[in-house]
Amino acid sequence: MSGLAASVLFVADGLVQARGLRKRFGDFEAVRGVDVDVARGEVFGFLGPNGAGKSSTMRMIACVSPRSEGALQVLGMDPDVDGPRIRARIGVVPQLDNLDTELTVRQNLQIYGRYFGLSRAHVRAKATELLEFAQLTERADDPVEPLSGGMKRRLTIARALVNEPELLLLDEPTTGLDPQARHLLWERLYRLKREGVTQIITTHYMDEAEQLCDRLVVMDGGVIVAEGSPAELIERYSTREVLELRFDPALRPAPDALARLAERVEELPDRLLLYTADGEHTHAEVARAGFVPLSALVRRSSLEDVFLRLTGRTLVD
Amino acid sequence: MTAQVPAPPAPPALLRLLPAGSYAGRSRALLLRSATASRRAWLAFVSGFFEPVFYLVAMGQGLGSLVGVLPGPDGAPISYAAFIAPGLLAASAMNGAVFDSTFNVFFKLKYGRLYEAMLSTPLGPVDIALGEIGWALIRGGLYALGFLSVMAGFGLLVSPWALLALPAALVVAFAFAAVGMAATSYMRSWQDFDLVTLAILPMFLFSTTFYPLSVYPRWLQLVVEFLPLFHAVELMRGLTTGAVHLGMVGHLAYFLVMIVVGVTVASRRLDVLLLR
Amino acid sequence: MLLVVEHFWTWYRRNWRATAVSSVLQPLLFLLAFGVGFGSLVAGTGSAAAATGGVDYIVWLAPALLAVSTVQSAAFESTYPVLSGFKWQRTYFAMTAGPISPAQVALGHLLWVACKMAGAGAIYIGVIAVFGGVAGPGIVVSLLVAVLTGAAVAAMVTAFSATVENEGAAFNALFRFVVIPMTLFSGTFFPVDRLPGWVQPVALISPLWHGTELARSAALGAVSQPLAALGHLAYLSALLVLGVALATRLFARRLAQ
């Protein structure tokens, strides 16, 4: 009874709801039956390698790519019928920046606002506010082209906020940025979350997913292979710690030889991963058993390990 | 500050025939965008006015000195400059419209990825098509106005009918822009744009822009009479020389057909192209 | 330097169609429109004969069209392709990462453009001959003159392109305000003295006018004023030297970045 009530509540507050969502391009099926519910106020992630179907799913949610099959509701409306109405209330940050290079930084924000039918006075004030948010006030009247990658990304995000969206879609927001620019961007996205903006993020970086997402799905080959919070997923599919061992190729033991020392052993081209509750203890046992690695590293287990467990492959090759 | 994003209005009855969501009635925002962008590229904007003027000065004066006078549309003799000026007006309406709707649109489509950004707002493919064609028309209209002023300055406008040359230039530009945009939606790479040049250049040279139809043998005359630019030149030449007759409605009809076909194909194809 | 030329040749073998349209078909269409079409309009009129010195209009026009099309393709080949070498494909940077110097890249580019112009021009002469536009063997000298003119223009434009950062406006202005007026006001379609007096000085600085005068007198076998011919030749050579000097210097500067 209470379960039913909860699910009804959940649906009522769901910003995005997909059932059996599919996308075909000719013979190729990029998304093969995806179920997703995103609640108001949460940051939801699609984690997966390139080609997993994340971007195609995002484009369907953004109402720029008609679905091939399945049910989809965004903000309680059907994208096939109410595309423009939905797009008026969401913000989209595409994978590659598509800023208007014929306009200045400020004009990019103002003109984009005009596409939403906002008044001239409103977009003028809003642009000033967003330039501040994106830390681009000093570059306001410069052309877009000479901006750094991080600046362009921040401008693209600021642009997506011009209509004060209820839902922000970010497709690989930090791909190609240097570490400093990534951290600055994460900080800005966290600020938006605190302001109550619902966000959907795709990424193939597990650290990004762990940093930003309340809840995420792991996608591979067009389907969802796992779902939960980052902590839940690690708990469910991995151990507390991981011992990474590198061997001289000539002296590298077969994974089976180490199997009894850990819960699970994964073999990667350059190293062996031993999944265990206590890394230091396992390291000592490995030495006692007579194996001599070139190097050993104990670390917390991460979403990367979850992904490896689920698909047998690493996220970033 | 509170959000004041107005919901897009319901499309007018005629446009309900289009796929849902492809038109938000906001193509004016694109005009604003183009006007803002061209403020920075004003030199390119202004340069479009000079090209036909250069042609008029060089060809009208220089070539004219070899020709003397020619029989006009109604048989009365006119100067060579008065003969080619309406031809150049028609040709520049064609060139501007085709350039805007092919090279410019293709660039924005493939490289600038500008339309992708627009489509994540309430704007739909039809807004984009109308906005781009509208801007091409505004630009073409300004150039036509400038060129007509230069013609007036050289004393080449002898009839009040010439006032109608401006709207006629807009109709011609609209027709070429619509067909150009439809053609662009089938282009795959820059290589395909050779075909655009291949269509435009012979038309510019052979559609009685520079000499009368009587130069050609009969079979070639029939081919030329089939070309759209020929009809544009005939229309303009009739208006600027004042030799107006009922048959000109036929030329106009030619362009109306081009507009209907071009707009229909372009808006269908833009959907396919943009909303994958 | 020949290595650089070889690089371009390799590319060309795969992409010849586009350039065939612009460098052979385009001048052919102009020849048909003006040489044949317009020529038939003015055939037998005294004013045309007075302008051409008595020869058929197409014969008078043909060597000039050879020069125009050479100059146009020289200008085009030295704008976007050069900028692409610096900016988009960055092939110039790849070349100079090896043993090739920036000056050699610039010279290689110019040599390649010159070869292409010579090849296209030779084909074009064959086309002109078919339409009865060739008066005699002097046309071969016209071709050499056309290539010299084209090379001079290519060198200057290449130098200019080496300074361009952002394509649109700069090249647009170059074509609209320099290349097109040059083709219209350099005595290609009619003698320059038929123009209004205030335009005529433009022709004097136009390399295409000098090239056209030379190419035409060579084709018609009528070098009536040897001194003037030497003057044209000197002007074109000086422009070529200046252009090469500027281009090599600017290539070196930009590739050092």
Side-chain angles (χ1 to χ4, degrees):
Chain A
M1 187 62 203
S2 65
L4 181 65
S7 80
V8 167
L9 255 182
F10 184 69
V11 169
D13 209 25
L15 283 194
V16 177
Q17 200 175 56
R19 291 291 174 270
L21 196 58
R22 285 172 186 271
K23 180 73 194 182
R24 275 184 291 271
F25 299 100
D27 288 340
F28 172 68
E29 197 167 31
V31 180
R32 304 185 300 157
V34 162
D35 295 351
V36 165
D37 291 285
V38 180
R40 191 176 290 274
E42 76 174 333
V43 176
F44 186 88
F46 286 98
L47 179 74
N50 289 328
K54 310 185 299 283
S55 292
S56 298
T57 309
M58 279 293 246
R59 286 173 52 82
M60 287 189 278
I61 297 174
C63 312
V64 291
S65 170
R67 62 183 183 267
S68 308
E69 213 177 288
L72 179 63
Q73 291 239 309
V74 182
L75 301 168
M77 292 179 275
D78 179 346
D80 281 354
V81 181
D82 285 312
R85 259 169 231 278
I86 299 171
R87 292 199 300 264
R89 289 164 57 191
I90 63 179
V92 176
V93 179
Q95 201 176 109
L96 299 169
D97 292 313
N98 52 17
L99 296 163
D100 194 331
T101 51
E102 290 176 71
L103 303 177
T104 64
V105 170
R106 187 196 302 276
Q107 286 169 345
N108 257 283
L109 297 173
Q110 292 183 345
I111 298 284
Y112 200 76
R114 301 284 282 171
Y115 297 154
F116 286 91
L118 295 165
S119 75
R120 191 181 295 270
H122 182 86
V123 293
R124 195 175 298 156
K126 191 75 200 172
T128 307
E129 179 192 322
L130 288 171
L131 284 168
E132 198 66 44
F133 170 82
Q135 297 180 315
L136 286 169
T137 306
E138 273 141 49
R139 307 294 298 265
D141 297 310
D142 289 357
V144 166
E145 205 141 353
L147 297 185
S148 73
M151 290 176 176
K152 282 184 183 163
R153 218 79 260 262
R154 295 205 300 275
L155 179 58
T156 308
I157 292 175
R159 191 184 66 175
L161 296 172
V162 77
N163 59 329
E164 291 168 28
E166 292 160 62
L167 172 65
L168 185 62
L169 305 175
L170 301 120
D171 197 358
E172 309 217 349
T174 65
T175 298
L177 297 188
D178 62 47
Q180 206 184 347
R182 290 182 83 198
H183 281 280
L184 181 59
L185 211 57
W186 286 348
E187 190 269 320
R188 297 286 123 158
L189 294 179
Y190 188 67
R191 191 189 287 192
L192 287 173
K193 175 186 157 71
R194 281 204 320 257
E195 288 167 11
V197 179
T198 312
Q199 299 174 41
I200 302 182
I201 294 175
T202 75
T203 181
H204 57 245
Y205 297 118
M206 67 226 165
D207 56 341
E208 185 158 282
E210 287 188 78
Q211 283 269 344
L212 297 175
C213 299
D214 299 316
R215 221 154 51 79
L216 57 93
V217 292
V218 180
M219 281 191 82
D220 187 42
V223 294
I224 292 175
V225 292
E227 180 175 358
S229 72
E232 278 170 16
L233 286 171
I234 292 169
E235 165 93 4
R236 200 180 318 151
Y237 295 102
S238 189
T239 50
R240 205 173 69 87
E241 290 188 331
V242 184
L243 173 63
E244 294 199 6
L245 299 175
R246 279 170 210 271
F247 287 92
D248 183 331
L251 301 174
R252 180 169 169 163
D256 289 348
L258 298 170
R260 63 178 178 86
L261 301 177
E263 283 186 32
R264 191 161 59 86
V265 179
E266 288 282 353
E267 185 179 24
L268 295 183
D270 60 335
R271 64 212 140 113
L272 293 172
L273 305 182
L274 278 64
Y275 290 88
T276 167
D278 185 343
E280 282 307 331
H281 175 76
T282 309
H283 186 195
E285 294 220 323
V286 167
R288 208 170 306 138
F291 299 108
V292 189
L294 290 176
S295 71
L297 168 75
V298 176
R299 60 168 174 82
R300 271 183 56 229
S301 127
S302 72
L303 283 175
E304 175 89 51
D305 302 301
V306 173
F307 189 79
L308 187 64
R309 172 71 190 272
L310 288 167
T311 68
R313 286 180 292 117
T314 50
L315 272 168
V316 189
D317 317 303
Chain B
M1 191 180 295
T2 54
Q4 321 171 337
V5 183
L14 183 69
L15 288 161
R16 293 213 187 101
L17 296 174
L18 296 166
S22 61
Y23 184 59
R26 288 227 184 93
S27 39
R28 257 173 309 162
L30 262 95
L31 298 183
L32 180 72
R33 185 247 155 219
S34 298
T36 312
S38 67
R39 246 186 294 165
R40 264 177 75 210
W42 62 272
L43 188 65
F45 191 89
V46 172
S47 71
F49 159 76
F50 281 100
E51 196 171 316
V53 175
F54 286 148
Y55 265 93
L56 182 62
V57 172
M59 298 304 196
Q61 296 270 332
L63 275 187
S65 76
L66 308 186
V67 179
V69 292
L70 280 173
D74 53 358
I78 54 172
S79 74
Y80 187 66
F83 180 83
I84 62 165
L88 292 172
L89 178 61
S92 85
M94 169 185 80
N95 280 332
V98 169
F99 185 82
D100 273 336
S101 63
T102 57
F103 292 91
N104 275 353
V105 166
F106 189 75
F107 184 82
K108 289 178 192 164
L109 205 58
K110 296 274 152 142
Y111 294 90
R113 302 172 55 249
L114 194 64
Y115 299 142
E116 184 190 274
M118 291 177 180
L119 288 170
S120 40
T121 75
L123 300 178
V126 176
D127 294 286
I128 292 176
L130 290 181
E132 291 289 29
I133 291 178
W135 177 247
L137 288 190
I138 290 176
R139 211 154 92 146
L142 288 174
Y143 291 156
L145 191 63
F147 190 76
L148 281 165
S149 315
V150 172
M151 281 176 73
F154 282 123
L156 300 175
L157 298 182
V158 292
S159 154
W161 284 106
L163 287 175
L164 286 181
L166 183 61
L170 289 179
V171 172
V172 170
F174 192 1
F176 278 105
V179 171
M181 193 172 270
T184 304
S185 73
Y186 289 95
M187 305 270 180
R188 282 148 306 156
S189 74
W190 288 113
Q191 305 268 332
D192 291 341
F193 282 94
D194 299 345
L195 301 175
V196 176
T197 314
L198 225 49
I200 292 305
L201 186 66
M203 231 179 338
F204 171 61
L205 292 173
F206 299 109
S207 296
T208 72
T209 321
F210 294 105
Y211 40 82
L213 195 62
S214 57
V215 162
Y216 301 116
R218 185 62 200 145
W219 65 270
L220 207 53
Q221 288 183 1
L222 290 173
V223 174
V224 171
E225 279 171 0
F226 184 71
L227 301 174
L229 187 60
F230 168 79
H231 295 273
V233 173
E234 285 292 297
L235 198 59
M236 297 296 175
R237 199 167 276 151
L239 289 171
T240 59
T241 59
V244 176
H245 56 95
L246 209 59
M248 286 164 70
V249 176
H251 302 311
L252 213 51
Y254 191 105
F255 293 109
L256 294 181
V257 171
M258 270 175 84
I259 289 171
V260 170
V261 172
V263 168
T264 312
V265 175
S267 53
R268 291 262 161 86
R269 290 283 307 169
L270 275 185
D271 258 37
V272 177
L273 210 62
L274 295 171
L275 302 178
R276 277 167 303 138
Chain C
M1 201 163 90
L2 286 174
L3 280 175
V4 178
V5 174
E6 194 183 319
H7 162 88
F8 290 123
W9 170 244
T10 316
W11 180 87
Y12 184 69
R13 275 193 313 202
R14 278 183 287 124
N15 298 280
W16 59 272
R17 202 185 76 185
T19 33
V21 169
S22 62
S23 56
V24 177
L25 207 60
Q26 212 154 311
L28 167 65
L29 290 170
F30 269 90
L31 182 76
L32 286 176
F34 287 99
V36 180
F38 186 79
S40 73
L41 181 70
V42 296
T45 63
S47 48
T52 62
V55 300
D56 275 354
Y57 185 69
I58 189 171
V59 174
W60 187 81
L61 180 69
L65 275 183
L66 183 63
V68 165
S69 72
T70 311
V71 163
Q72 271 181 341
S73 70
F76 188 79
E77 290 286 329
S78 304
T79 49
Y80 291 97
V82 170
L83 185 64
S84 173
F86 285 119
K87 189 175 169 184
W88 297 308
Q89 305 194 329
R90 300 178 68 86
T91 39
Y92 293 165
F93 289 94
M95 288 175 183
T96 48
I100 299 171
S101 76
Q104 283 171 325
V105 174
L107 289 173
H109 164 75
L110 291 175
L111 194 63
W112 160 245
V113 172
C115 290
K116 232 171 102 169
M117 291 186 299
I123 297 174
Y124 189 44
I125 287 175
V127 174
I128 297 171
V130 171
F131 289 97
V134 174
I139 195 87
V140 177
V141 181
S142 305
L143 176 59
L144 295 178
V145 172
V147 172
L148 171 66
T149 315
V153 170
M156 295 299 281
V157 174
T158 300
F160 171 71
S161 299
T163 67
V164 170
E165 296 288 342
N166 226 332
E167 60 285 5
F171 289 152
N172 203 333
L174 177 74
F175 282 105
R176 284 244 164 98
F177 289 116
V178 180
V179 177
I180 289 180
M182 190 160 78
T183 56
L184 289 173
F185 296 106
S186 293
T188 312
F189 300 101
F190 49 83
V192 170
D193 59 22
R194 302 303 171 93
L195 286 169
W198 52 272
V199 191
Q200 289 186 25
V202 175
L204 282 180
I205 55 165
S206 156
L208 182 56
W209 177 68
H210 295 276
T212 301
E213 289 292 303
L214 263 183
R216 184 170 281 149
S217 49
L220 301 178
V223 185
S224 49
Q225 295 161 301
L227 212 58
L230 274 181
H232 297 316
L233 209 56
Y235 182 82
L236 293 173
S237 312
L239 206 61
L240 178 61
V241 171
L242 177 68
V244 168
L246 281 174
T248 49
R249 192 154 307 174
L250 291 166
F251 263 57
R253 190 199 293 172
R254 183 143 182 188
L255 288 170
Q257 280 169 8

